[in-house]
Amino acid sequence: MQTIDITIDFETCALCPTAAVMSVGAVAWNREAEDSPFVFEGISSSLFNYDKHVDLRSQFIDGFIFDKETAQWWAQRSDEAKKAVLEYDDTPLAPIDNVVDNFCRWMREIKELVGAKQLILWSQGSDFDIAILRNICNKYGIEIPVSYKNIRDHRTFFMEGAKMILDKAGAEFNADKAYMLVEPYEGEGAAHDPVYDCKRSIYSTWQMMQHLRSLNVSKE
């Protein structure tokens, strides 16, 4: 495998790069898969999810941000969404530096497991999850095992790909039309469950990649 893609999602207590983090989710995926991006031949799919809840107490002491507006926003979410970030097993919650250090170790292990030559790290948007990850890593001296050249944004890729397809078809571009080009993700979970949110972004991006490949083939 030439490339392994991983998508990360944070659920947070604020919207800034210094936000306190409630949970971290990540999913490794296979851009070359024909039927599903979540399938790796001969390897259990459970190995490709990272899902950890975080102890907020240490973040309060270390100066991470908790804001009132985000707390009010969470109060208005569905019970299912709240359950996804609040419920966990009997294992004691780990501080954020341990969770992120383990996440970086997990990325290295996944890359080695599939024998990939490079690792691409994705998030939904260019200025939120990656900015939070960089702040945590800088604060605690954790090395991110991904080149800055290999950071990607699902939203930008998807929208620019959709615009190319709609332009070629002579159709006016808008976000509603863009999302009509792909099927929605219908796996288990709820919005704001970080693993579910990762898979939803991945599924749209993977379908867009397939569309763009078809577009290039048709030009030839």
Side-chain angles (χ1 to χ4, degrees):
M1 176 177 283
Q2 291 291 321
T3 301
I4 180 67
D5 295 278
I6 292 176
T7 297
I8 187 172
D9 181 70
F10 289 105
E11 297 302 332
T12 66
C13 298
L15 299 178
C16 56
T18 54
V21 175
M22 293 185 289
S23 61
V24 179
V27 177
W29 52 285
N30 181 3
R31 67 169 65 193
E32 302 297 336
E34 294 184 5
D35 299 322
S36 169
F38 310 116
V39 173
F40 293 83
E41 188 174 350
I43 307 175
S44 171
S45 61
S46 63
L47 298 174
F48 295 95
N49 293 351
Y50 184 88
D51 187 13
K52 300 293 182 183
H53 292 274
V54 186
D55 188 346
L56 292 173
R57 293 170 296 180
S58 62
Q59 295 177 79
F60 180 81
I61 293 171
D62 285 351
F64 288 87
I65 300 301
F66 298 74
D67 70 37
K68 181 179 179 180
E69 291 77 11
T70 303
Q72 292 173 337
W73 181 88
W74 271 110
Q76 297 169 5
R77 297 311 97 192
S78 68
D79 290 342
E80 193 174 9
K82 294 173 186 175
K83 179 179 178 181
V85 297
L86 293 175
E87 286 198 352
Y88 51 90
D89 58 26
D90 293 332
T91 303
L93 294 179
I96 188 61
D97 54 327
N98 286 2
V99 171
V100 170
D101 188 48
N102 288 336
F103 166 66
C104 291
R105 186 179 300 111
W106 173 81
M107 286 197 288
R108 296 185 188 97
E109 291 171 352
I110 290 296
K111 181 181 177 183
E112 182 178 351
L113 178 64
V114 300
K117 294 184 178 179
Q118 67 171 345
L119 170 63
I120 305 293
L121 183 61
W122 296 74
S123 65
Q124 182 74 356
S126 60
D127 60 352
F128 186 70
D129 300 281
I130 298 299
I132 291 171
L133 177 64
R134 289 195 186 283
N135 175 64
I136 294 167
C137 289
N138 288 338
K139 189 177 187 69
Y140 297 110
I142 301 169
E143 181 182 358
I144 303 174
V146 183
S147 167
Y148 71 93
K149 299 177 183 178
N150 288 345
I151 302 296
R152 302 287 188 272
D153 164 22
H154 282 289
R155 185 179 294 114
T156 300
F157 173 84
F158 183 85
M159 289 301 175
E160 292 302 316
K163 188 175 188 308
M164 290 173 60
I165 292 170
L166 292 171
D167 285 349
K168 183 176 175 60
E172 181 181 357
F173 171 81
N174 62 54
D176 290 337
K177 287 183 178 179
Y179 283 106
M180 290 175 65
L181 294 171
V182 297
E183 296 294 327
Y185 177 67
E186 297 182 347
E188 295 182 358
H192 311 302
D193 171 344
V195 168
Y196 177 87
D197 285 351
C198 286
K199 289 186 174 182
R200 186 168 55 177
S201 297
I202 290 164
Y203 196 58
S204 294
T205 294
W206 173 72
Q207 291 178 81
M208 183 56 67
M209 287 178 171
Q210 291 184 317
H211 286 319
L212 293 175
R213 290 190 191 105
S214 298
L215 188 66
N216 288 333
V217 169
S218 66
K219 287 182 178 180
E220 297 174 359

